[in-house]
Amino acid sequence: MFSKISRIVKDWFRSRLPVDTVMEHLKSKKVPMHRHSIWYYFGGLTLFFFMVQVITGILLMFYYRPTPDHAYESIVFIMNEVRFGWLVRSIHSWAANLMIAVLFIHMITVFFMQAYRPPRELMWVSGIVLLGLVLGFGFTGYLLPWDEIAFYATQIGTEIPRSLPIVGESVMLLLRGGQEIGAATLTRMYSLHIIVLPLATLLLVGFHLFLNQYYGVSKPVNSKPKREALQFYPNFVLRDVRSWLIALLLLLCIAMIFPWGLGEEADLLKPAPEGIKPEWYFLPLFQTLKMVPSRLWVFDGEALVNIVFVAGGLVLILLPFFDGKSRMERNNKLIKTIGVIIIIYLISMMIYAYIE
Ligand code: HEM
């Protein structure tokens, strides 16, 4: 009975959608197997955490109220009154951090395998824009609980672009919706967090994955095959699912053993508490700004740091265009060495900000 219904359903879809063509493509696609193949799972893991974020985010949205008078109260309600509300919130917050961590790993490994080279330039460019969007999720989501740390960290965070020449003040006003953090800021952060960023990310992830299917998986320069390439469907897909199940188990354990906390409600009349720091992924910028003197020769120190970080982002996005086709088969040691230096710098700044 069941197999008969399933055959009827399959035939119905087969006669209306190109199911057979898609399946043929997935079965003919191969994933190269070599000593770096493990890194191929991190794009899929990023996708997994993104899906967790969408599902848990929708559940939180049912109860969250985005106004300064009700935001904190609604989070307390979610944590204490809603069945499993504390767990859903904890999973959402932990998965956000894990998503950013695996996204960085995905990007770093793609960088070292030089998978951004032609014809995959657009995969890299869409990836960097996705990185910006994902960091945007972190930034906009941080204010939503409206507790002390969220409030003051957003105050510091929205202050940072102010020193940028020409556009600085406008960027800050655009983010805050006024001179101070208030109801307008919360509305802006919430709309960005639940509508603008998810829509943009969904579209771009779709494009990124389409390109991945179109070009197939790249093979790193100089890698020796360990064994025969793996069929993408069903073999690699099943391994992807195995990595998702391990990630889910880990996420559930962390979210239950270390439930995400909530500080005191933000009080706009109280002075900022000592030692407020942003989330770990913004610490390198935060610490660099803190260490640079306010004037560097004729330049404003803070503006200079901001310009260097923005320029760094632009260089990163354009990377495939200057490490391109002409050097296709060369292991570009110079670019890899610069990459290692930048990663060491960012991690040291992060550690320094933590222990300071
Ligand atoms: C929401 C964020 C992202 C998602 C969901 C995602 C997802 C994926 C998936 C599933 C793959 C195929 C499996 C793999 O090779 O790992 C992939 C490949 C790739 N991704 Fe991403 N990715 C994201 C962000 C990024 C970022 C930040 C970059 C780099 C700037 C990037 C660059 C690439 C490249 C170049 C490939 C091709 C790798 C190859 O063919 O070997 N992606 N991505």
Side-chain angles (χ1 to χ4, degrees), residues 119-124 126 205-216:
R120 294 182 180 74
E121 298 97 320
L122 286 176
M123 289 211 72
W124 176 264
S126 59
V205 166
F207 180 63
H208 198 71
L209 297 184
F210 165 75
L211 290 181
N212 184 248
Q213 291 304 320
Y214 186 67
Y215 294 125

Side-chain angles (χ1 to χ4, degrees), residues 98-138:
L98 290 172
M99 177 177 173
I100 295 176
V102 291
L103 175 52
F104 275 124
I105 298 175
H106 173 52
M107 176 179 156
I108 290 169
T109 54
V110 158
F111 171 83
F112 283 109
M113 293 205 271
Q114 291 170 290
Y116 49 77
R117 288 180 166 187
R120 294 182 180 74
E121 298 97 320
L122 286 176
M123 289 211 72
W124 176 264
V125 172
S126 59
I128 295 284
V129 180
L130 277 171
L131 173 71
L133 293 174
V134 170
L135 292 178
F137 270 112

Side-chain angles (χ1 to χ4, degrees), residues 126-297:
S126 59
I128 295 284
V129 180
L130 277 171
L131 173 71
L133 293 174
V134 170
L135 292 178
F137 270 112
F139 186 72
T140 52
Y142 207 53
L143 181 66
L144 303 185
W146 205 253
D147 59 355
E148 253 181 2
I149 175 142
F151 183 83
Y152 291 107
T154 306
Q155 197 163 49
I156 299 169
T158 47
E159 189 74 37
I160 289 175
R162 196 180 206 159
S163 66
L164 275 172
I166 309 166
V167 291
E169 185 75 14
S170 316
V171 174
M172 188 211 72
L173 286 174
L174 192 73
L175 288 171
R176 285 190 182 171
Q179 285 295 340
E180 305 297 333
I181 306 272
T185 326
L186 189 54
T187 316
R188 281 172 193 221
M189 296 293 164
Y190 187 59
S191 331
L192 288 170
H193 195 76
I194 66 152
I195 298 171
V196 182
L197 293 171
L199 275 182
T201 310
L202 274 174
L203 278 175
L204 218 61
V205 166
F207 180 63
H208 198 71
L209 297 184
F210 165 75
L211 290 181
N212 184 248
Q213 291 304 320
Y214 186 67
Y215 294 125
V217 183
S218 78
K219 209 165 73 45
V221 182
N222 294 345
S223 78
K224 293 185 188 67
K226 215 163 69 175
R227 56 194 162 84
E228 217 181 302
L230 209 64
Q231 207 168 319
F232 179 73
Y233 182 84
N235 305 44
F236 188 75
V237 171
L238 281 175
R239 291 180 181 210
D240 248 344
V241 172
R242 180 181 60 187
S243 76
W244 292 11
L245 289 176
I246 297 171
L248 179 64
L249 195 69
L250 201 76
L251 175 63
L252 283 176
C253 290
I254 299 176
M256 282 195 278
I257 299 170
F258 306 104
W260 203 261
L262 181 69
E264 294 276 305
E265 185 170 6
D267 181 349
L268 315 197
L269 300 173
K270 272 202 334 210
E274 286 284 299
I276 290 273
K277 284 175 196 159
E279 284 282 58
W280 59 272
Y281 37 88
F282 291 125
L283 285 179
L285 172 62
F286 174 77
Q287 191 60 22
T288 312
L289 283 167
K290 223 167 131 185
M291 282 167 52
V292 166
S294 58
R295 279 220 85 74
L296 263 174
W297 191 41

Side-chain angles (χ1 to χ4, degrees), residues 55-57 59-60 83-93:
I55 296 166
T56 51
L59 294 176
L60 289 173
R83 194 172 291 177
F84 294 116
W86 66 273
L87 185 58
V88 174
R89 176 170 181 251
S90 191
I91 291 175
H92 192 74
S93 308

